[in-house]
């Protein structure tokens, strides 16, 4: 009995244990399935998440996406509320039955908040109307707020100068600085014949700052529009925004001035070269417009020209201005001539070919077939230029005349001579100037000084004096000066250290003994500071000359030439007594602007500003006419007289008008052939010649 009970009890425990084990297995299975389900749910991307992701991507595309989303929600709300109103009207009629158009209009005006539910409406219509108005207020207010935000964003984008420029055939200027004012002024003159010309500026400066600067410094733009944009000039995206591929020409400005240190100039040159690379990358080598750049380093100039041969024209401010300085200091009035030649104000250089052919005439006969233009030389069919072409050279059909004229519309070739010139009064070449020793003084040291010293040494006669005065005579300046002096032993050269703020020390230079004193721009934070220093030295010298003349009863004939950075200081320089002057920014800016419109003109400037070949001179009238024949003469007479001396006459200088600004300081360039002049022995001809004799 006991054994049977024990076996029964043991069997019973075994059954319960098995039941418990099965239950535990079931629970573990459920937990496992639940866990697996949870993991599957976590790994699976639900349709809600996918929808949210697509919506986020859509909204991130910008303002148009937000606008479309708001409009979609508005339309959806309109459809929902219209459906709700139809249902309400069906079960709870609100007065006389309304047509579909009336009901739709009522829902719409309630959504945009222009109409309430109406006092006569029943409760159901009012309830739906209130909901409609509430939804409309939220949605319509959001839409209005979005439009306002987008409008403000667009204004901010315009203020920052980031928007697209939709222009073609425009002049593109990359960079910004003081020089940009004179460039734009020149382009305004060049574009007067166009009804709607455009200049686009891209620079890494604030747009509002650029716009304010241009408004303050340019009085009138006439037919030209100026568009400014902000951004790095070497960024391809920025270049595309300003229409680099459809620009007529591109000017890349240099950040550095002649007074800056060499390290900063090198960095600025590198940035210009990088800008050239960006333009080439944006356009491709096959579709490049003319690119005009200003570079200080000869190394970078060669590099720039090799990037895109034939498309890049480089200009070196120091090289050109130093040569102009020497030429103008040796011939009073020549600086004014150069100012009339460069740029678009006054006279310009043109390449002209007669449509009817040249009728087998010689270069000497050509001037008398052009009434309002003066030929200076020939551009041959192979592209080579010859200034002051031999007068016996016969023009071929492929030749282009290099002419100086007020406008290209005035250039016309006549088959027959238009003016009969007077051959009686002309003298032959045997009449020459007797060259004397010359004395010159340069005050100040910058990138142009060494070039000017060497140009003086090459051009003056033996035993002439060329001195240099600087405030701080460094070892570097002394070594460079001594190298130049050793290279030209036939010239007397001396360098001195002088405190320019001390009138007593300036007097020790004996400035009255020099033919000309050139005051070069020094260093400073800005053009105003540099010019102030130059003008101070100028006034001190002028005051000393007055005192010296009063004390010795001797007239001082020394000419003062000052290098002025800011062209707006011109009037100050004239009132200070400078008979000749340099306007650095104006000279270079005029050349940059003109070359941007006609790149081949640069080769003419390079020839004119070089000692090699022909140069411009202002020579006394008695070299060309006997004293008893000087009087009433036509410009044609002057041209023929110059030809007899193997020279090309381009104008006349009247000495009695040398200080009259509205008479262009007595300079008359390329007048009409039949213009009469009443000349005296003190007047002069402006000619292109091989030398000063």
């Amino acid at each position: 009995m006991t054994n049977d009970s024990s076996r029964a009890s043991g069997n019973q425990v075994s059954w319960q244990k098995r039941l418990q084990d099965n239950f535990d297995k079931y629970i573990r299975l459920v937990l496992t399935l639940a866990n697996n389900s949870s993991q599957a749910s976590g790994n699976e991307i639900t349709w809600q998440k996918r929808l949210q992701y697509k919506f986020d991507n859509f909204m991130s595309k910008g303002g148009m996406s937000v606008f479309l989303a708001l409009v979609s929600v508005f339309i959806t709300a309109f459809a929902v509320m219209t459906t709700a109103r139809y249902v309400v009207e069906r079960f709870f009629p609100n007065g006389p039955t309304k047509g579909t158009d009336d009901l739709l209009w009522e829902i719409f005006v309630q959504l945009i908040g222009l109409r309430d539910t109406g006092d006569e409406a029943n409760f159901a219509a009012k309830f739906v109307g209130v909901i409609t108005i509430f939804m409309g207020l939220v949605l319509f207010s959001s839409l209005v707020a979005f439009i306002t935000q987008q409008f403000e964003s667009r204004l901010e984008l315009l203020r920052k100068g980031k928007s697209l420029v939709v222009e073609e055939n425009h002049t593109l200027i990359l960079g910004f600085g003081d020089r940009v004012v004179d460039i734009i002024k020149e382009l305004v003159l060049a574009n007067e014949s166009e009804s709607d010309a455009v200049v686009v500026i891209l620079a890494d400066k604030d747009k509002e700052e650029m716009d304010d600067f241009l408004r303050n410094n340019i009085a009138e733009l006439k037919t030209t529009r100026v568009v400014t944009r902000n951004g790095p000039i070497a960024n391809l995206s920025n270049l595309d925004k300003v229409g680099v591929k459809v620009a007529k020409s591109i000017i890349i400005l240099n950040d550095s001035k002649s007074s800056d240190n060499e390290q900063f100039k090198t960095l600025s040159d590198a940035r210009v070269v990088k800008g050239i690379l960006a333009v080439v990358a944006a356009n491709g080598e096959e579709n490049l417009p003319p690119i005009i750049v200003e570079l200080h380093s000869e190394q970078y100039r060669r590099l720039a020209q090799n990037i895109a041969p034939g498309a890049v024209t480089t200009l070196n401010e120091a090289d050109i201005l130093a040569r102009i300085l020497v030429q103008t200091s040796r011939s009073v009035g020549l600086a004014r001539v150069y100012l009339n030649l460069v740029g678009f104000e006054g006279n310009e250089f043109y390449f002209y070919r007669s449509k009817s052919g040249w009728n087998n005439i010689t270069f000497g006969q050509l001037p008398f077939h052009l009434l309002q233009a003066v030929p200076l030389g020939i551009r041959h069919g192979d592209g080579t230029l010859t200034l002051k072409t031999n007068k016996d050279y016969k023009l071929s059909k492929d030749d282009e005349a290099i002419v100086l004229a007020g406008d290209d519309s005035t250039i016309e070739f006549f088959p027959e001579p238009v003016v009969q010139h007077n051959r009686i009064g002309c003298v032959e070449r045997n009449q020459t100037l007797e060259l004397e020793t010359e004395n010159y003084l340069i005050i100040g040291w910058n990138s142009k000084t060494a070039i000017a010293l060497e140009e003086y040494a090459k051009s003056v006669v033996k035993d002439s004096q060329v001195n240099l005065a600087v405030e701080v005579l460094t070892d570097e300046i002394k070594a460079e000066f001594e190298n130049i002096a050793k290279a030209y032993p036939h010239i007397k050269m001396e360098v001195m250290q002088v405190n320019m703020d001390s009138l007593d020390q300036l007097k020790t230079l004996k400035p009255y003994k020099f033919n000309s004193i050139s005051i070069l721009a020094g260093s400073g934070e800005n053009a105003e500071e540099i010019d102030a220093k130059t003008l101070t030295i100028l006034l001190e010298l002028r005051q000393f000359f007055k005192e010296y003349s009063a004390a010795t009863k001797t007239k001082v004939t020394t000419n003062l030439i000052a290098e002025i950075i800011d062209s707006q200081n011109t009037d100050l320089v004239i009132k200070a007594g400078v008979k000749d002057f340099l306007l650095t920014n104006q000279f270079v800016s005029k050349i940059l602007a003109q070359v941007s419109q006609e790149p081949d003109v640069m080769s003419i400037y390079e020839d004119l500003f070089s000692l090699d070949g022909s140069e411009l001179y202002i020579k006394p009238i008695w070299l060309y006419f006997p004293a008893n024949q000087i009087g009433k003469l036509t410009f044609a007479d002057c041209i023929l007289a110059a030809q007899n001396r193997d020279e090309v006459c381009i104008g006349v200088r009247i000495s009695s008008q040398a200080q009259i600004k509205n008479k262009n300081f007595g300079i008359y360039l390329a007048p009409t052939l039949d213009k009469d002049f009443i000349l005296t022995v003190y007047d002069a001809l402006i000619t292109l010649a091989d030398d000063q004799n």
Side-chain angles (χ1 to χ4, degrees):
M1 187 74 179
T2 303
N3 290 338
D4 292 341
S5 178
S6 292
R7 282 195 295 269
S9 176
N11 292 336
Q12 184 179 5
V13 172
S14 178
W15 174 82
Q16 292 174 341
K17 185 178 181 181
R18 284 197 299 271
L19 181 63
Q20 181 66 42
D21 290 342
N22 289 334
F23 180 77
D24 291 343
K25 289 180 181 179
Y26 174 76
I27 293 299
R28 284 196 297 270
L29 178 62
V30 171
L31 291 174
T32 301
L33 291 174
N35 185 51
N36 291 338
S37 176
S38 176
Q39 289 179 355
S41 177
N43 293 329
E44 183 182 355
I45 300 175
T46 63
W47 66 270
Q48 294 97 331
K49 289 184 178 181
R50 290 183 182 275
L51 183 61
Q52 180 67 43
Y53 175 73
K54 290 182 178 180
F55 179 75
D56 291 343
N57 284 340
F58 176 75
M59 296 296 286
S60 67
K61 292 180 180 179
M64 182 56 68
S65 299
V66 177
F67 177 76
L68 291 175
L70 287 172
V71 171
S72 299
V73 173
F74 186 85
I75 293 173
T76 301
F78 178 74
V80 170
M81 298 316 299
T82 300
T83 303
R85 186 62 182 272
Y86 266 114
V87 172
V88 168
E89 289 288 338
R90 183 175 182 83
F91 292 101
F92 305 99
N94 185 34
T97 304
K98 295 182 179 181
T100 301
D101 293 342
D102 292 336
L103 193 61
L104 290 174
W105 175 249
E106 185 174 333
I107 296 295
F108 177 75
V109 294
Q110 285 180 344
L111 268 177
I112 63 175
L114 296 180
R115 182 173 180 177
D116 58 20
T117 59
D119 294 334
E120 298 177 356
N122 60 27
F123 177 78
K126 286 183 178 180
F127 180 76
V128 175
V130 168
I131 296 175
T132 303
I133 292 172
F134 179 76
M135 292 178 63
L137 286 174
V138 174
L139 293 174
F140 197 68
S141 298
S142 299
L143 188 60
V144 171
F146 167 75
I147 294 173
T148 303
Q149 181 186 14
Q150 289 299 306
F151 182 72
E152 291 177 349
S153 298
R154 177 58 58 178
L155 288 179
E156 183 65 22
L157 192 65
L158 291 174
R159 282 196 293 268
K160 289 182 177 180
K162 300 292 185 181
S163 58
L164 180 69
V165 173
V166 187
E167 301 289 351
E168 292 184 1
N169 201 36
H170 55 283
T171 300
L172 176 60
I173 300 176
L174 302 180
F176 196 87
D178 293 339
R179 198 184 302 289
V180 77
V181 170
D182 287 319
I183 291 176
I184 292 177
K185 287 180 179 178
E186 287 301 312
L187 293 175
V188 166
L189 293 173
N191 295 330
E192 281 185 317
S193 59
E194 299 183 29
S195 59
D196 184 30
V198 181
V199 176
V200 178
I201 302 173
L202 172 65
D204 201 4
K205 293 179 70 72
D206 182 72
K207 173 180 168 57
E208 289 182 305
E209 182 182 344
M210 290 190 285
D211 291 340
D212 289 342
F213 181 83
L214 294 176
R215 276 193 295 268
N216 293 335
N217 290 279
I218 302 177
E220 187 178 3
L221 291 173
K222 299 181 180 179
T223 61
T224 300
R225 290 183 291 114
V226 178
V227 179
T228 58
R229 289 294 181 265
N230 165 265
I233 65 171
N235 183 283
L236 296 181
S237 176
N238 290 336
L239 290 175
D240 285 337
K241 285 181 180 179
V242 295
V244 69
K245 295 179 181 178
V246 291
K248 175 173 62 177
S249 61
I250 299 172
I251 301 173
I252 304 180
L253 299 182
N254 201 302
D255 295 335
S256 62
K257 306 184 293 293
S258 59
S259 57
D260 290 325
N261 59 59
E262 291 302 320
Q263 183 180 4
F264 185 68
K265 288 181 183 178
T266 301
L267 290 174
S268 298
D269 284 354
R271 281 193 288 267
V272 171
V273 171
K274 184 180 178 183
I276 298 173
L277 287 172
V279 171
V280 173
N283 286 52
E285 295 185 10
E286 302 298 327
N287 303 305
L288 284 175
I291 304 171
I292 299 86
V293 301
E294 180 189 354
L295 291 166
H296 300 286
S297 166
E298 177 65 28
Q299 174 188 354
Y300 279 104
R301 285 197 294 275
R302 288 197 302 268
L303 182 61
Q305 290 169 345
N306 290 333
I307 292 174
V312 178
T313 302
T314 63
L315 181 145
N316 177 20
E317 174 197 32
D319 194 53
I320 288 178
L321 291 177
R323 288 178 168 83
I324 293 177
L325 168 66
V326 173
Q327 292 180 23
T328 55
S329 67
R330 302 184 69 218
S331 183
V332 176
L334 198 55
R336 178 54 55 181
V337 173
Y338 279 132
L339 277 177
N340 278 264
L341 289 178
V342 301
F344 299 101
E345 187 175 12
N347 295 278
E348 304 169 42
F349 294 114
Y350 296 97
F351 296 96
Y352 174 77
R353 180 187 290 130
S354 172
K355 295 180 180 178
S356 60
W358 295 115
N359 290 357
N360 204 34
I361 64 170
T362 65
F363 182 75
Q365 295 169 331
L366 179 60
F368 307 105
H369 292 256
L370 302 170
L371 181 62
Q372 300 182 66
V374 178
L376 283 77
I378 298 295
R379 180 165 71 174
H380 304 284
D382 59 1
T384 59
L385 275 69
T386 305
L387 289 182
K388 199 183 75 61
T389 307
N390 189 296
K391 64 181 179 180
D392 296 324
Y393 173 80
K394 282 191 175 182
L395 279 73
S396 68
K397 63 177 183 179
D398 294 330
D399 287 337
E400 289 179 293
I402 304 170
V403 300
L404 183 66
D407 189 78
D408 57 353
S409 62
T410 65
I411 307 172
E412 183 180 0
F413 175 79
F414 295 89
E416 299 296 328
V418 293
V419 173
Q420 294 299 321
H421 44 72
N422 178 15
R423 293 180 176 273
I424 300 175
C426 303
V427 299
E428 298 301 326
R429 186 178 173 82
N430 56 5
Q431 185 80 347
T432 60
L433 282 172
E434 183 179 349
L435 298 181
E436 300 178 350
T437 58
E438 302 168 71
N439 296 317
Y440 295 101
L441 172 65
I442 298 178
I443 296 178
W445 183 273
N446 59 27
S447 58
K448 292 177 278 295
T449 307
I451 302 173
L453 288 170
E454 195 162 0
E455 290 295 310
Y456 272 129
K458 290 178 181 177
S459 56
V460 297
V461 299
K462 183 181 179 181
D463 293 330
S464 293
Q465 183 85 38
V466 180
N467 288 355
L468 171 66
V470 295
E471 283 199 300
V472 180
L473 183 57
T474 64
D475 292 338
E476 182 182 356
I477 294 175
K478 188 175 182 180
E480 192 162 357
F481 182 87
E482 288 177 352
N483 288 337
I484 297 173
K486 288 177 181 178
Y488 302 94
H490 63 286
I491 305 298
K492 300 175 183 177
M493 303 184 74
E494 183 181 356
V495 60
M496 298 155 284
Q497 181 170 303
V498 178
N499 182 5
M500 303 303 170
D501 295 326
S502 171
L503 182 58
D504 291 334
Q505 290 201 32
L506 283 175
K507 289 179 181 178
T508 62
L509 297 174
K510 298 181 180 179
Y512 50 82
K513 73 177 184 180
F514 295 100
N515 297 88
S516 172
I517 298 177
S518 301
I519 308 168
L520 298 185
S523 59
E525 292 294 327
N526 50 53
E528 191 68 27
E529 182 180 323
I530 296 171
D531 286 348
K533 180 70 173 179
T534 302
L535 290 174
T536 299
I537 299 173
L538 190 64
L539 291 172
E540 288 177 342
L541 288 173
R542 178 172 168 77
Q543 182 62 30
F544 172 67
F545 287 160
K546 284 184 178 181
E547 294 174 358
Y548 180 82
S549 295
T552 62
K553 307 300 181 184
T554 304
K555 183 180 179 181
V556 177
T557 59
T558 302
N559 295 318
L560 297 176
I561 299 179
E563 180 188 5
I564 301 300
I565 304 298
D566 189 349
S567 58
Q568 296 184 15
N569 290 326
T570 305
D571 291 335
L572 293 177
V573 176
I574 295 172
K575 291 178 181 179
V578 180
K579 298 178 182 179
D580 250 346
F581 49 90
L582 289 177
L583 299 175
T584 303
N585 271 345
Q586 196 172 38
F587 260 120
V588 177
S589 301
K590 282 174 176 284
I591 294 174
L592 284 171
Q594 192 170 19
V595 173
S596 72
Q597 308 302 301
E598 179 53 77
D600 290 342
V601 171
M602 192 63 209
S603 58
I604 301 176
Y605 289 136
E606 289 173 346
D607 199 308
L608 286 177
F609 300 149
S610 171
L611 282 177
D612 300 326
S614 302
E615 300 173 53
L616 287 177
Y617 294 96
I618 298 179
K619 298 186 178 183
I621 192 72
W622 51 263
L623 281 177
Y624 306 91
F625 297 96
N628 61 349
Q629 295 291 328
I630 298 174
K632 185 177 181 180
L633 296 167
T634 66
F635 184 57
D637 298 332
C638 297
I639 289 177
L640 181 63
Q643 285 185 358
N644 288 341
R645 289 174 47 84
D646 194 26
E647 299 175 10
V648 174
C649 180
I650 67 168
V652 176
R653 180 176 183 265
I654 309 298
S655 60
S656 61
Q657 300 174 4
Q659 299 299 319
I660 305 176
K661 186 177 181 181
N662 59 9
K663 293 285 187 180
N664 197 30
F665 304 95
I667 301 296
Y668 294 86
L669 292 179
T672 57
L673 283 179
D674 56 358
K675 181 174 177 59
D676 291 320
F677 291 98
I678 306 299
L679 302 176
T680 70
V681 293
Y682 302 106
D683 298 324
L685 297 187
I686 304 166
T687 67
L688 191 62
D690 292 332
D691 52 49
Q692 200 173 6
N693 292 338

